[in-house]
Amino acid sequence: THLFKLAQDAFRFATPENGPRSHTLLEVAFELGLQVMRMTRTCLNWRRREMVRWLVTCATQLGLEATLSIMQNWYELFTPTEATGPVASTIMSHSTIMRLNLNIKQQEELSSCARCLALQCATKDPPNCALNALTLCENDPMSFETAYHIVIDAANHIMTSSQLFTNARYMEHRGFPVRAYNLAILAMKNVHLAYNQDTHPAINDIHWACALSHTL
C-alpha cells in the first residue's frame, strides 16, 4: 500500500498539468508500480484492480517500450484474467493507440504482442480468457483460428454451457455462423434441465441455437 502511494505521488509529480514532464521520475513511478504488481499478484480485491489500471496508464505514458514490457512479462505481474482484460484490452483500445502516436510498424508490433499474450492466457485459463482472446485475435486469421481451437479443446472438460454460449454468440456476431453453431452444440451437451425449470437461463440460448441451425 505504501509503495503504491509512493508510485502514485511520483507519477503525479512527473506529469504536472502545467509544466514539463519528468521522464526519470515517470520511470521511478513505473518501477515502483511493477514491484507492487509482483507483491499483490494473488491479492484479488478492488484495490488490486485500481493498481492494475494505474500501471497500464503509467506504462502508456512512458511509451511503447514500457507498454510492450508489461505485456511480454504479464505472467510475473498479472493473472491471466487481468492480462487479457484490463491490460491488453485497454492497451489495444483506439484511444490508447492514438495516445501512443504509433506508426504502422509499431502498431503491428503491439498487436502481435497482445495476440501472443491472449493465446497464452486462453491456454492457461480458457473459461475466463477465451472471449477476450478471441476479441484480441480477431484481426489475425491464424491467431483467431488458434484461439477458437483452444475454446473447442476446453469445451468438454473445463468450460460451462453459459461460457460456451457466450463465445458462440460472439462468433455469430463476428460473422462465423458455422463456428457459432459448433460451439452451441458443445454448449448444449453441457446443459442439464429438469422438467420444471421453465426459467433456466440456458433456455433462451437453446432457442437462439435452434434459430441459428435453421439459418444454416
Side-chain angles (χ1 to χ4, degrees), residues 160-177:
T160 65
S161 60
S162 174
Q163 290 163 341
L164 288 169
F165 274 127
T166 299
N167 282 275
R169 285 177 180 267
Y170 164 81
M171 281 294 183
E172 188 201 31
H173 176 67
R174 298 305 302 169
F176 298 104

Side-chain angles (χ1 to χ4, degrees), residues 116-129:
C116 183
L117 172 153
L119 294 176
Q120 289 172 351
C121 292
T123 302
K124 200 170 184 67
D125 186 4
N128 295 312
C129 299

